[in-house]
Amino acid sequence: MPLDTADIRRRNLGLVLGCVLEADAAARSDIADATGLSRGAVTSLVADLVEAGLVRESSAIAAAKGRPRVLLEPAGDDVCLVTALLDADHATAVVSDIAGDTLARVERRHGRPFGDPAAVASVLASVIDEAVDAVPRRIADLSVVVWAPVGGDPAVVLADTDLGWGEVDVIALLRDRSRSVAVFDRSISLRDDATVAARAEHAARGGIGSLLYLKGDSGIGGATVFDQTPPLVIGGALGHVPIVPDGELCACGQRGCLVTVAGPDILLERAGLTPFAEESGLTSALDEFIARVRAGEPAAIAAWSHGRTEIARALQITAMTLAPQLIVLGGFLADLAADVDATFASIQPHILGAGDYPTARVVASAFGKDAALVGAQRAARERLLADPLAF
Ligand SMILES: [Zn+2]
């Protein structure tokens, strides 16, 4: 479909704003060089962005070739992006500026009231309102990330095994409970954490090629990012790769899924940490598990030895299919990435006469437990750049 004039102007506004956000301070002539737009066009686009309060002229002046040049910098002092994350234990809300810097963050345990979406949504609504109240600004983008598969239009949570949910319209529940969500009159993005986290990991490693992201939290999930423009992100149920023939029956209906032999519940059970998890929550129990593996505690070592082998085997199958250039482990698996890398490398094929098969390395997430939030903030910025004057 051909772009009309308004589409082209929107796209060019995004290009110019993107230059200013990325460079932090740039002259109009730099932007023209970087975007290929004419100087006249850049001057007109900048005027619109200044008018909208997203860009301003900096007090710093750069001298080049003897002529002073006026630099532009991000403004948007009255504008913010709001990102909310719902995981198995916590509800978190982050308010950031348009450059992605965090202005406020509120996090609270929701206590995992099983099968009660309204109770969880009330906690999420309260953290969103508290974070927004702490930074009174116009909301340019509001997005919600969940640890669960999402689908439909408008998007809903399809099922959440951590919380005992079937299909749940989280956004509708929030609109009824949060003042800030109720008055937000544009569409609210609802995404699963693995796809936004995978995209953030890919973006953090410019030019890496394709990337496979595998994360462990309450279960195991992930996504693959293929290197194209824009990057193609495909979510996958990596925890449900059926790794053990005729293995244990999984909640998904298959037998021998990766999550049944290397998921957090089974690792904690084998390490004798199930009572710890019931008492202190999953996150603390997994931290304790990692500490015990590091300390060489025999039960934890035995549990992890089995788990890391199964994870490496699942990666082997997936890598043979998708040929990623890099494999990134997120969630609690990030702290154990070196172990998985060693096991994965040891089971790679060797092709006679052709040297070793070029294999991907397994590395830890660049963002740790915040990968999904960082990804969601990044996605919010991309939506802002796609239509900077929409709000
Ligand atoms: Zn399964």
Side-chain angles (χ1 to χ4, degrees):
M1 202 167 64
L3 294 171
D4 65 22
T5 317
D7 289 334
I8 292 168
R9 189 155 185 87
R10 258 195 298 277
R11 192 196 64 182
N12 290 343
L13 283 165
L15 281 176
V16 172
L17 180 58
C19 281
V20 176
L21 291 180
E22 233 147 77
D24 217 24
R28 288 173 177 81
S29 54
D30 299 332
I31 296 171
D33 291 345
T35 58
L37 295 165
S38 72
R39 303 224 174 165
V42 170
T43 299
S44 155
L45 293 161
V46 165
D48 280 3
L49 292 170
V50 169
E51 164 96 25
L54 295 172
V55 165
R56 66 175 160 236
E57 292 189 343
S58 159
S59 52
I61 307 282
K65 294 173 197 158
R67 264 182 40 226
R69 302 180 308 153
V70 177
L71 297 178
L72 300 161
E73 63 182 17
D77 297 340
D78 66 335
V79 175
C80 67
L81 311 173
V82 178
T83 309
L85 172 69
L86 187 61
D87 67 34
D89 283 330
H90 302 91
T92 308
V94 173
V95 179
S96 53
D97 63 20
I98 60 172
D101 294 323
T102 298
L103 303 170
R105 176 179 178 133
V106 180
E107 181 172 333
R108 185 166 300 141
R109 279 184 79 170
H110 54 61
R112 212 191 284 202
F114 208 69
D116 190 353
V120 176
S122 293
V123 178
L124 187 59
S126 71
V127 297
I128 292 173
D129 284 344
E130 277 176 45
V132 168
D133 287 349
V135 187
R137 294 183 173 204
R138 286 186 294 150
I139 300 174
D141 188 90
L142 209 162
S143 60
V144 179
V145 177
V146 288
W147 275 14
V150 165
D153 186 16
V156 297
V157 170
L158 298 174
D160 189 328
T161 48
D162 292 329
L163 299 174
W165 294 3
E167 194 174 300
V168 172
D169 188 344
V170 176
I171 302 301
L173 289 175
L174 286 176
R175 282 200 192 281
D176 288 343
R177 287 166 177 76
S178 156
R179 280 172 281 114
S180 1
V181 177
V183 299
F184 186 76
D185 58 3
R186 289 184 313 284
S187 80
I188 297 172
S189 155
L190 179 70
R191 301 279 298 277
D192 78 277
D193 72 308
T195 54
V196 290
R199 179 75 180 82
E201 298 286 351
H202 186 258
R205 298 172 174 83
I208 186 66
S210 61
L211 178 149
L212 173 66
Y213 176 72
L214 181 84
K215 56 111 195 191
D217 38 54
S218 57
I220 294 178
T224 305
V225 185
F226 295 95
D227 202 24
Q228 57 187 58
T229 310
L232 173 67
V233 187
I234 298 189
L238 296 174
H240 298 278
V241 173
I243 197 85
V244 183
D246 296 323
E248 192 187 322
L249 186 64
C250 179
C252 76
Q254 300 185 115
R255 285 191 175 277
C257 292
L258 178 62
V259 71
T260 67
V261 288
D265 293 340
I266 189 74
L267 293 179
L268 293 174
E269 186 189 314
R270 286 179 177 155
L273 282 167
T274 302
F276 189 111
E278 282 162 2
E279 177 108 340
S280 308
L282 184 64
T283 314
S284 302
L286 289 168
D287 287 345
E288 177 65 20
F289 174 73
I290 290 161
R292 290 188 185 189
V293 169
R294 294 258 161 81
E297 195 274 319
I301 289 284
W304 177 231
S305 168
H306 186 78
R308 69 191 266 186
T309 304
E310 298 295 5
I311 290 168
R313 284 190 344 102
L315 289 176
Q316 187 181 23
I317 293 167
T318 318
M320 283 292 159
T321 315
L322 301 172
Q325 264 84 51
L326 188 70
I327 297 170
V328 175
L329 297 191
F332 78 92
L333 292 174
D335 285 330
L336 300 165
D339 290 352
V340 177
D341 183 48
T343 307
F344 181 70
S346 74
I347 57 176
Q348 289 302 303
H350 298 272
I351 298 171
L352 289 176
D356 287 353
Y357 189 82
T359 56
R361 295 298 305 267
V362 180
V363 301
S365 158
F367 303 109
K369 294 187 174 79
D370 271 345
L373 272 172
V374 171
Q377 283 173 296
R378 182 180 181 84
R381 268 184 65 186
E382 283 173 354
R383 282 190 295 275
L384 177 69
L385 292 182
D387 195 358
L389 305 184
F391 64 96

